[in-house]
Amino acid sequence: MNHSNHAAPPAAAPANAVPPRLSGERRNSAAKWSLSTIAEADRAAILGKKKWPQHVAALAATLTSLVGGAVLGWTSPVLDELHLMGPSGSWVASLAPLGALGGAALSGWLARWAGRKPLILALVIPNVAGWSVLVAASGNIDMLYAGRLLTGLCAGAATVLVPMYSAEISEPAIRGTIGVYLDLSLTVGILMAYVVGGLAGQVYLSGLCGALSLVAAITFFFMPESPQFLVVKGRRAEAEDALRWLRTGSSAPTPKVAKYSSAATPPFAGSHRVDVSAELDAMTRLAVESEERERASGGILGAVRGLCGEGSVSPTSRAVVLVVMLMALQQLSGIDAIIFFLQSIFKKSDSSLEPMHSTIVVGSVQVAATLVAALLVERAGRRLLLGVSGSLMAASLAALLVYFLFHKELDVDLNAFSWLPVSCLSAFVFVYCIGFGPLPFLMMAEFLPLEARSWGCGLAACVNWSLMFVVVRVFNLLMNNIGEAATFGIFCAICILGTLFVLTLVPETQGKTPAEIRQYLQDREIHTVTRRVSTPGGVV
């Protein structure tokens, strides 16, 4: 760990010392905690740990993202209901990503100072306001624009805050599964928009989303703040209570762990007596290291200088490049343009199914695929799922390209293959949701170190939403000017490039400690990071 040139070497901390607050006298006065000492205590503490509180807290946080998914799926049934086509329909669709861009930028900056939980709770205000405006719009184009901007702002903020919160509350063994919950909630929200919007109409859909925003805020109110954030702010007592609940389901104080030999009986095994001080001390030590790295590297300006060739390229700079590229490839695959205009695509394809029924089929496939991803992510690994996802997305779009080429360009009668568009788009959505859908957001929190997580997540989400705005805005222009076959051909080529990028440059992060991931980024060595067994402290 690098120290400031003006700091005296700190004295070794006694075994029973309490780490100094990280706010106030933090940095140079912070004690250095031995991971070997922490590991001895952790052997006993881990015996009584429970995982369900982490799942409950993560799911409560992602309820806000469920409403964000409805923002994405809203246009597919509603534009047709309100007969909004052409430029006005395109703007109604694309203003949500534009609002999300602002939400992502603001939340990434504010999360470092205000915390994760308060900001997630605060989203209820613009969320309810935005959906209320949409309920009252009744086709008024200006009100539709305002409502879409407000609801988009909340959706964008959620894609920054929820991954940060989920990563910081979860243990490495279940970090992947919990990270997929964000995309699961988005896909459930999209399906809800397809079903409710198609069957009941825009007013009922918007009213339901406004009510769900309130339910999400009330539910998440009872969840703890991220213990890692509390440690960074020097609120150790609060961090200990939050961490104990996340690991045991109880916040009652527990006795200290006594040292014991491997042959001895552990001093306690009940979950209500689990000691979390070992993991908390690891968070403290790593938070101190993170602050010193930030001071040495110059933060965001240092990362930018490294990328511009001024000085050495830091691991943080490489992490930002990887995350931004994954986000860009996710959006440039065309997924959200397809989701936004799904009914219009099915109308143009002359599919044998009704457009509304086809969208519900695709939405159901999304949810099912995300559930599969949650089961596979800790078994198959991130890199394999991304590679399979990208290659099969390209294959699905290639089949759709051929269909539109023969059906529209060459005017071949394909009534016998009218089932193909639904099948191709369902396959495309399915393989997207097992890889390129959930994993960029999960890996964003894994790659970015603690000192760069707030601004790095904000930057990555801004890239994601700005490209979504561009793709959604130009999608209809491309379809009308160069044709369906050429449009899907562009997306197919990008999926191929994305697959090559993943297979050549993206490392595996499954089960890796933050230090191991950072070591890869430092050495530029691919696939040489060793698998961890157990490390306290979670993602930092």
Side-chain angles (χ1 to χ4, degrees):
M1 180 171 61
N2 295 327
H3 300 277
S4 170
N5 293 332
H6 304 289
N16 60 351
V18 177
R21 291 174 60 88
L22 292 181
S23 294
E25 67 267 15
R26 58 186 178 177
R27 294 184 178 141
N28 294 331
S29 63
K32 305 303 183 283
W33 291 84
S34 168
L35 284 178
S36 61
T37 302
I38 292 170
E40 291 180 8
D42 193 57
R43 287 187 299 169
I46 199 170
L47 294 176
K49 285 184 178 179
K50 296 178 180 178
K51 293 182 172 58
W52 66 262
Q54 300 168 61
H55 291 280
V56 169
L59 286 170
T62 56
L63 283 177
T64 301
S65 302
L66 187 149
V67 181
V71 174
L72 301 180
W74 186 89
T75 53
S76 184
V78 171
L79 292 184
D80 188 57
E81 175 193 343
L82 300 179
H83 306 291
L84 288 173
M85 299 300 168
S88 59
S90 179
W91 274 111
V92 168
S94 57
L95 278 175
L98 192 62
L101 174 61
L106 285 173
S107 60
W109 178 71
L110 290 173
R112 180 167 185 172
W113 314 108
R116 287 55 162 149
K117 180 180 176 179
L119 290 179
I120 293 175
L121 290 175
L123 293 179
V124 67
I125 298 173
N127 237 339
V128 171
W131 290 114
S132 299
V133 169
L134 291 175
V135 168
S138 298
N140 183 294
I141 195 67
D142 292 328
M143 294 182 72
L144 290 174
Y145 288 164
R148 290 288 287 169
L149 272 172
L150 282 172
T151 55
L153 182 146
C154 297
T159 57
V160 175
L161 299 170
V162 172
M164 275 196 287
Y165 179 82
S166 298
E168 291 175 354
I169 66 169
S170 58
E171 298 173 272
I174 58 172
R175 193 174 64 213
T177 300
I178 285 180
V180 173
Y181 288 163
L182 171 67
D183 204 60
L184 177 62
S185 64
L186 290 172
T187 57
V188 171
I190 291 169
L191 177 60
M192 180 184 72
Y194 289 167
V195 174
V196 178
L199 298 178
Q202 188 273 132
V203 172
Y204 287 98
L205 171 60
S206 300
L208 175 62
C209 291
L212 285 176
S213 300
L214 287 171
V215 172
I218 293 170
T219 303
F220 189 62
F221 177 79
F222 297 99
M223 298 299 110
E225 173 62 283
S226 159
Q228 183 64 73
F229 171 78
L230 294 172
V231 164
V232 169
K233 292 301 179 183
R235 295 152 63 181
R236 183 180 172 88
E238 295 175 62
E240 185 171 1
D241 286 343
L243 188 60
R244 183 175 292 111
W245 186 88
L246 289 165
R247 299 298 181 259
T248 70
S250 171
S251 59
T254 59
K256 292 292 181 182
V257 181
K259 295 184 180 180
Y260 60 95
S261 65
S262 59
T265 302
F268 52 80
S271 63
H272 63 288
R273 293 176 64 82
V274 169
D275 182 67
V276 297
S277 60
E279 190 172 359
L280 198 62
D281 290 345
M283 287 184 176
T284 302
R285 178 178 182 273
L286 289 166
V288 172
E289 292 176 348
S290 173
E291 285 200 10
E292 294 188 352
R293 285 198 303 265
E294 182 178 28
R295 287 194 300 155
S297 65
I300 184 171
L301 294 179
V304 172
R305 284 194 296 267
L307 292 174
C308 295
E310 300 178 16
S312 60
V313 180
S314 67
T316 299
S317 301
R318 297 187 184 114
V320 170
V321 170
L322 285 172
V323 169
V324 167
M325 284 298 299
L326 287 174
M327 290 294 185
L329 290 168
Q330 182 194 68
Q331 284 305 319
L332 293 176
S333 70
I335 180 64
D336 282 301
I338 291 171
I339 289 172
F340 276 49
F341 299 107
L342 199 53
Q343 283 202 26
S344 300
I345 295 171
F346 282 127
K347 282 185 177 180
K348 291 184 178 182
S349 69
D350 299 323
S351 171
S352 57
L353 280 177
E354 287 290 326
M356 186 187 75
H357 297 156
S358 299
T359 58
I360 293 174
V361 168
V362 174
S364 301
V365 168
Q366 274 189 293
V367 176
T370 309
L371 290 171
V372 171
L375 296 174
L376 292 179
V377 68
E378 293 297 357
R379 293 173 172 83
R382 285 69 153 148
R383 188 169 172 273
L384 175 61
L385 287 179
L386 281 172
V388 170
S389 175
S391 58
L392 294 183
M393 285 164 63
S396 302
L397 290 174
L400 198 62
L401 180 160
V402 172
Y403 176 86
F404 276 111
L405 179 64
F406 279 90
H407 183 53
K408 294 291 186 179
E409 307 294 333
L410 303 179
D411 200 22
V412 176
D413 184 6
L414 294 178
N415 286 334
F417 297 94
S418 58
W419 50 268
L420 193 62
V422 174
S423 301
C424 288
L425 287 174
S426 295
F428 174 79
V429 166
F430 184 90
V431 294
Y432 167 83
C433 286
I434 66 170
F436 267 96
L439 296 186
F441 287 101
L442 166 62
M443 299 178 79
M444 172 179 71
E446 291 182 322
F447 277 130
L448 293 171
L450 180 61
E451 67 268 20
R453 190 166 297 152
S454 294
W455 65 262
C457 287
L459 174 63
C462 284
V463 170
N464 187 289
W465 287 104
S466 59
L467 287 176
M468 183 192 297
F469 169 77
V470 172
V471 172
V472 170
R473 188 77 183 88
V474 304
F475 180 72
N476 277 332
L477 294 175
L478 291 174
M479 294 275 279
N480 294 330
N481 288 282
I482 65 174
E484 294 87 351
T487 301
F488 288 114
I490 293 172
F491 294 146
C492 178
I494 292 171
C495 289
I496 294 172
L497 292 175
T499 303
L500 295 175
F501 173 79
V502 167
L503 296 179
T504 55
L505 294 175
V506 176
E508 180 58 74
T509 59
Q510 178 194 4
K512 305 298 189 295
T513 66
E516 289 170 336
I517 296 172
R518 184 176 179 83
Q519 190 62 49
Y520 157 77
L521 297 172
Q522 183 73 54
D523 299 340
R524 303 188 187 185
E525 296 176 359
I526 299 178
H527 314 314
T528 59
V529 181
T530 58
R531 183 180 295 272
R532 72 181 291 280
V533 177
S534 176
T535 293
V539 175
V540 290

